[in-house]
Amino acid sequence: MSVILRTERLVLRKARPDDLKALHAMMSDAETMRYWSTPPHADLATTRDWLEGMIAAPPETSDDFIVEKDGETIGKLGAWRLPEIGYLIGRPHWGRGYAREALAAFVSYAFAHRTDHLTADVDPRNTASLALLARAGFRETGRAERTWCVGGEWCDSVYFRLDA
């Protein structure tokens, strides 16, 4: 049985092939993807490959969710590789607290059913993500330079951890 998480405004559910167009709209947007681990998706095939990987990821090592608002796919959030979390909310939905709400639901679920801690790797220029994790109780555990090369640009990392 597939896990579904519900919050006041959101549904977090497992990915489906019909999420492709909504995910591509997000993942092809340069501003939305600014701090992601890959460049914006240049074509639908790139997003399809990414989505198929998310769907096929083994549940022993991955627990990722699509974030839905009123039946519309607005993002993804979860542990793409336990215990490391990642999230992406489409730009039209920024600033409304959806990432905070989805993260709180996922943290509660993960600690009840999956792991005793979560980690995150954030680009230090991503002030919104740094603030989100701090508000959720994550603590900084370290920093490193030139950890990701995305689209020919080196990015740094701030590492976070949250214990159950």
Side-chain angles (χ1 to χ4, degrees), residues 41-119:
H41 292 185
D43 52 46
L44 203 59
T46 302
T47 307
R48 182 179 294 111
D49 289 346
W50 183 89
L51 176 58
E52 287 173 356
M54 183 179 179
I55 292 169
E60 307 81 49
T61 59
S62 180
D63 207 352
D64 234 343
F65 291 86
I66 292 296
V67 179
E68 222 178 59
K69 167 85 170 106
D70 299 327
E72 176 188 359
T73 297
I74 66 163
K76 72 75 73 193
L77 185 142
W80 65 280
R81 186 175 62 213
L82 281 163
E84 187 170 350
I85 62 166
Y87 39 85
L88 188 69
I89 301 292
R91 189 162 33 111
H93 307 284
W94 289 358
R96 298 181 186 161
Y98 298 141
R100 176 201 46 77
E101 192 172 320
L103 180 59
F106 180 77
V107 167
S108 293
Y109 157 77
F111 287 163
H113 303 284
R114 297 301 309 243
T115 186
D116 65 354
H117 73 282
L118 294 168
T119 63

Side-chain angles (χ1 to χ4, degrees), residues 137-149:
F138 282 76
R139 62 180 168 72
E140 183 177 326
T141 59
R143 291 178 178 246
E145 294 181 356
R146 295 174 59 91
T147 53
W148 294 90
C149 187

